[in-house]
Amino acid sequence: MMAGVTILEHELSELRLLVERQAGILLDCPNSALSAHVAEYLEAHELSSCAALLERLGAADQDPSVLPVFLDGVLNINTGFFRHPGAMNALARCVIPQLYARKSEDGPCTLRIWSAGCSTGEEAYSIAMALCDVLPVGNGSVNGNGNSTNGNGSKEKASGRNGSSAESSGPPATTQATKDWSVHIVGSDLLRSAIEIAERGLYPQSALAGLPPATIRACFTKIGNIGAGQNGSKDGNWSGGNSNGSSNGSVAGSNNGSNGSAHLLVKPRLRSLVTFNTMNLIKPVYIGRFDCIFCMDLLPHLSRAQRTALLERLHLYLEPGGYLFLSQTEKLCSSNLNFRSETFDGYTFHRKPLAASAAYGR
């Protein structure tokens, strides 16, 4: 902590309100933890007081990178591959067959999926793995540019975790060779540091400990040992496995910090399916409509008003008949939202009616 810097309680309260106003995020950490983070930020950025920080954040509209840089490290977020196996199972075995049946009669099949709050990319790549296991191959590929999935016109099998895509009730075999899919997965996050890791697609071997060996071989390339802090990553602790929440899809620190352990790189065939970008979900840039939107573990970290506003925008961004995936602890907080809830194998997700005027729940 910088010598002589005093951080007052009312300054921390003002800081929490400012973050909520600009990002919709409720900072629920104790004052002691927030004060320590503020002190570290002041020292790192050579600011003399919390008042100077508040002034800088208050002008964040002029420099949108200011707020994410401040929040990097204060948001305690867990992430991991297939951390919501029920959602991936429903996507692969229920939603994709429905979308295929609907779209295959309308010419070229396109599929757009948004991982809103993707953190360091594990969710977006998990979606790609689930899709590659169930979508038809035909003469082209399951990717965004019509090339083959592995460079030679064939598909590499990628079994999902916890029933996410293996034993799939995918498209009928008689139609698999007749239609190709153009797939585009968008991953967005508030933190640029998280997006940089996602774009790199490089993860410590320990991060994939819960995946079947066959999936790892099919989807990742081992590139050997990397020392801590190398490859542009920061020192940090990997927080894989199940997650209790995310806040605008952000992480505290980097998951690529290591102690010289082996790392695995996402194979090009998966990487080609995904595009990453930074986005403040409270002040989003319109990026088109989607067949599926994943917004997992994010709503509890937003104020009630921002939760409702975000869900309304996500409904707007969904194609008619599109699907919204939330974690099972999250509920639709507005009865005015025109969604129909459906359940598959114990997981509940939400579908936007095909007809814009369809009654809720019908």
Side-chain angles (χ1 to χ4, degrees), residues 31 58 66 96 148 158 164 191 223 301 313 335 349:
N31 271 354
V66 170
I96 292 302
S148 64
S164 61
L191 299 188
I223 63 171
H301 295 271
R313 282 195 297 274
S335 59
F349 51 99

Side-chain angles (χ1 to χ4, degrees), residues 19 27 35 44 72 82 92 120 135 152 156 185 205 231 234-235 252 263 299-300 322:
V19 170
L27 292 178
S35 180
D72 192 0
F82 288 91
T120 46
L135 289 181
N152 60 15
E156 297 178 39
I185 302 167
Q205 191 168 12
N231 207 32
K234 301 180 300 180
D235 293 330
H263 279 62
L299 297 179

Side-chain angles (χ1 to χ4, degrees), residues 91 96 109-115 121 123-136 140-151 155-156 158 180-188 198-199 218-219 266-277 290:
L91 173 69
I96 292 302
C109 297
T110 60
L111 181 65
R112 299 189 80 234
I113 298 179
W114 182 16
S115 173
E123 179 176 272
Y125 289 127
S126 297
I127 293 170
M129 284 187 269
L131 293 182
C132 283
D133 200 38
V134 296
L135 289 181
S141 79
V142 180
N143 68 20
N145 57 20
N147 296 325
S148 64
T149 57
N150 62 6
K155 174 184 172 185
E156 297 178 39
D180 296 336
W181 282 70
S182 175
V183 176
H184 186 200
I185 302 167
V186 176
S188 70
E199 288 178 328
C219 300
V266 175
K267 286 189 175 182
R269 74 183 185 91
L270 285 181
R271 183 63 186 84
S272 68
L273 302 181
V274 190
T275 299
F276 293 102
N277 57 61
F290 295 87

Side-chain angles (χ1 to χ4, degrees), residues 175-213:
T175 63
Q176 285 193 359
T178 62
K179 291 288 183 181
D180 296 336
W181 282 70
S182 175
V183 176
H184 186 200
I185 302 167
V186 176
S188 70
D189 194 88
L190 178 65
L191 299 188
R192 181 64 210 170
S193 59
I195 291 300
E196 288 172 352
I197 294 171
E199 288 178 328
R200 193 176 304 128
L202 180 68
Y203 300 94
Q205 191 168 12
S206 59
L208 286 78
L211 297 181

